[in-house]
Amino acid sequence: QVQLVESGGGSVQAGGSLRLSCVVSGSADSRNCMGWFRQAPGKEREAVAFGRDYYAESVKGRFTISRDNAQNILYLQMNSLKPEDTAMYYCAASRNVFCYSDWHDYTYWGQGTQVTVSL
């Protein structure tokens, strides 16, 4: 079993930055794919960033995913935040070494951390 705990969300003004962290514990395999997803009210869950450097078009150039395998932490650095980035952000882990954008391919999920960006 794998446990994921996110932190780092909050409320910022447009143009601001946040760094999300996801602490991984349990029987996690560092070779397996991990990613960040988000879900806004009334919208479907969508991939934000996953694997080494796969990004949604809407966040390319603004968000950076990174992984510290020694500390078992997954990060998402978010810069130049926009109001449309407002959502609940989730860390997810797959049981597959291959990375996919479909959230159904991920088995383990954190509880989420809220990001709110205001004008």
Side-chain angles (χ1 to χ4, degrees):
Q1 195 74 2
V2 175
Q3 293 80 43
L4 307 174
V5 179
E6 304 99 331
S7 62
S11 296
V12 296
Q13 289 190 322
S17 297
L18 286 172
R19 187 175 80 157
L20 306 183
S21 299
C22 173
V23 177
V24 184
S25 61
S27 56
D29 188 333
S30 61
R31 297 169 297 177
N32 290 350
C33 186
M34 292 193 67
W36 288 96
F37 294 75
R38 67 185 181 188
Q39 187 166 19
K43 294 189 177 181
E44 289 191 12
R45 188 168 297 191
E46 63 175 355
V48 175
F50 53 95
R52 287 184 180 273
D53 57 2
Y54 296 96
Y55 297 96
E57 285 296 324
S58 60
V59 307
K60 275 184 180 178
R62 300 188 297 122
F63 291 11
T64 303
I65 188 172
S66 60
R67 186 168 177 176
D68 184 337
N69 287 327
Q71 298 291 329
N72 290 327
I73 303 175
L74 183 73
Y75 296 103
L76 184 68
Q77 177 66 43
M78 305 186 296
N79 299 327
S80 302
L81 283 161
K82 303 176 181 180
E84 50 263 44
D85 294 318
T86 295
M88 185 71 80
Y89 283 71
Y90 299 92
C91 169
S94 170
R95 288 193 287 193
N96 197 329
V97 298
F98 299 105
C99 290
Y100 301 98
S101 61
D102 188 339
W103 65 269
H104 294 93
D105 289 310
Y106 294 77
T107 304
Y108 306 103
W109 293 85
Q111 81 288 350
T113 185
Q114 177 68 37
V115 171
T116 302
V117 185
S118 59
L119 287 171

